[in-house]
Amino acid sequence: MRAFITGGAGFIGSHLADALIARGDSVTVLDNMSTGSTKNIAHLQGKIQVHEGDIRDKALIEKLVEQSDIVFHMAAALGVKNIMEHTLESIDRNFNGSEIVLHAATEYNKRLIIASTSEIYGKNPNQPLNEESDRVVGAPQKIRWTYADAKALEEAVAHTLHKTHGLKVTTVRFFNTVGPRQTGQYGMVVPRFIQSALKNQDITIYDDGSQSRVFCHVEDAVKAVLTLSETDSTIGDYFNVGGVGEITIKELAAKVIERTKSASAIKFVPYSDAYPAGFEDMQRRVPDISKIKRFIGWQPRHSLDSIIDSVATNLKG
Ligand code: UDP
């Protein structure tokens, strides 16, 4: 099968490229190398075709979509810190860029998987979050939510194109995916904590650390994406992909220190010191993964300990 991955040099995209190559596909990657990196796919040199470019380049997208059998749309501007610091560019890429990919897949009648996010549920306090949970976001001036808004609109366009034009799309909502190759540069907590722990530097918890998340190893997430893409009953549908085991950020910091045998101290800083104005956090984010289990029998295999160990090994290397 000829697979085309937008964002294929990114964190999830590059792991997906590995899995597709292992499956025997021919793989084409498009990446603008903003949050992605040639380092993530260096080991695939000679095995994949790489285009450095932007998903807003309509002519290029149309050509690459036409030449493929299946499209994995993983490209996005992401990371809370990144979105808040580059708001306009992020909205443009995430919404306008995605629209181009969606329309090209419709026009050429290609199977499409789109990467969405748990962020779309916003700060809905009713946990766990299932696929029909409401979106609860703050005022438009709370610019953190622009990422959720752009992604939600992308999902809505995909859903509508499926209904009106038969677009063969499956939507995947990733919840706090972590693993090797993820960088802490754009705000993600796990690589940030592990990076600090490995250097015995202070681990910085925002607010009081009572906020909680559930982390999912990227290998598990990629397995979910592949199986969803191989299962026709998932066409036109949308799925949470997340881990199990809710943990507070304070507990996460302690666990990272313990597993990396670090001498780091924990430092608490207010959100106002960590993020620009327009930030608000959600207290909990817990996925309900019963729908994907029902459709394809998927469940995550990696524990949080194994996630931390694999990220630490990667960062040391
Ligand atoms: N966080 C933290 N210290 C950091 C980075 C993040 O305490 O160095 C907190 C952040 O405020 C949030 C949680 O960890 O409550 C998860 O943040 P991340 O950006 O990884 O993901 P998201 O907020 O999208 O779940």
Side-chain angles (χ1 to χ4, degrees):
M1 178 118 51
R2 296 168 305 168
F4 169 38
I5 313 174
T6 72
F11 164 53
I12 300 180
S14 65
H15 284 279
L16 181 60
D18 287 341
L20 289 168
I21 288 292
R23 185 173 88 168
D25 283 16
S26 81
V27 174
T28 299
V29 158
L30 173 71
D31 206 295
N32 68 354
M33 307 298 171
S34 55
T35 53
S37 160
T38 48
K39 267 202 324 219
N40 290 342
I41 48 171
H43 60 288
L44 293 175
Q45 204 186 4
K47 293 189 184 160
I48 62 174
Q49 244 199 64
V50 181
H51 296 263
E52 192 166 338
D54 198 295
I55 52 169
R56 290 166 297 186
D57 182 342
K58 193 163 179 254
L60 180 61
I61 287 291
E62 285 182 346
K63 186 178 97 182
L64 296 177
V65 167
E66 187 181 10
Q67 291 170 353
S68 68
D69 301 309
I70 182 163
V71 180
F72 296 90
H73 177 40
M74 302 286 134
L78 45 75
V80 179
K81 245 188 168 56
N82 187 33
I83 297 295
M84 301 203 59
E85 284 164 7
H86 306 103
T87 308
L88 298 182
E89 170 70 9
S90 303
I91 294 171
D92 190 35
R93 275 207 258 143
N94 290 342
F95 182 64
N96 294 325
S98 295
E99 235 200 333
I100 288 170
V101 177
L102 291 169
H103 283 289
T106 306
E107 188 183 334
Y108 293 106
N109 193 27
K110 302 295 177 166
R111 182 78 170 97
L112 174 67
I113 308 296
I114 59 170
S116 185
T117 168
S118 56
E119 184 85 3
I120 61 148
Y121 299 111
K123 50 185 176 175
N124 187 334
N126 300 321
Q127 306 277 333
L129 298 158
N130 68 55
E131 285 79 354
E132 304 309 319
S133 294
D134 284 339
R135 302 190 56 225
V136 180
V137 298
Q141 289 73 18
K142 302 273 187 228
I143 55 171
R144 179 205 175 123
W145 304 119
T146 55
Y147 177 59
D149 292 339
K151 280 287 174 186
L153 262 184
E154 176 188 340
E155 281 201 28
V157 171
H159 177 74
T160 307
L161 285 172
H162 169 71
K163 294 278 177 222
T164 58
H165 291 71
L167 175 61
K168 293 177 286 187
V169 63
T170 304
T171 298
V172 185
R173 294 182 187 150
F174 294 113
F175 281 68
N176 292 82
T177 311
V178 291
R181 299 181 201 153
Q182 187 177 44
T183 145
Q185 206 182 334
Y186 308 106
M188 283 78 165
V189 67
V190 167
R192 284 174 80 83
F193 281 8
I194 297 176
Q195 247 156 7
S196 301
L198 293 177
K199 293 185 202 149
N200 295 314
Q201 290 171 351
D202 285 353
I203 286 186
T204 307
I205 291 180
Y206 305 151
D207 202 42
D208 65 0
S210 67
Q211 68 271 37
S212 63
R213 297 292 187 269
V214 178
F215 297 95
C216 181
H217 196 285
V218 65
E219 272 172 24
D220 285 326
V222 162
K223 175 82 185 138
V225 170
L226 282 191
T227 312
L228 288 169
S229 76
E230 290 161 355
T231 311
D232 283 353
S233 61
T234 69
I235 291 175
D237 219 329
Y238 37 99
F239 298 89
N240 287 344
V241 169
V244 289
E246 183 177 7
I247 186 165
T248 66
I249 298 303
K250 205 163 127 184
E251 289 163 346
L252 175 70
K255 202 181 235 315
V256 165
I257 289 172
E258 179 207 310
R259 290 206 74 79
T260 56
K261 301 184 174 57
S262 170
S264 291
I266 292 178
K267 191 172 128 195
F268 292 86
V269 307
Y271 286 130
S272 56
D273 286 2
Y275 298 103
F279 174 80
E280 54 182 351
D281 209 356
M282 69 280 301
Q283 184 61 19
R284 296 178 69 200
R285 180 190 273 157
V286 181
D288 177 336
I289 52 171
S290 51
K291 182 174 176 183
I292 188 168
K293 234 183 231 173
R294 205 168 58 243
F295 269 71
I296 61 167
W298 175 87
Q299 54 187 359
R301 303 268 164 223
H302 283 271
S303 64
L304 184 57
D305 286 353
S306 106
I307 290 174
I308 293 171
D309 294 351
S310 69
V311 174
T313 304
N314 177 247
L315 288 174
K316 277 186 216 160

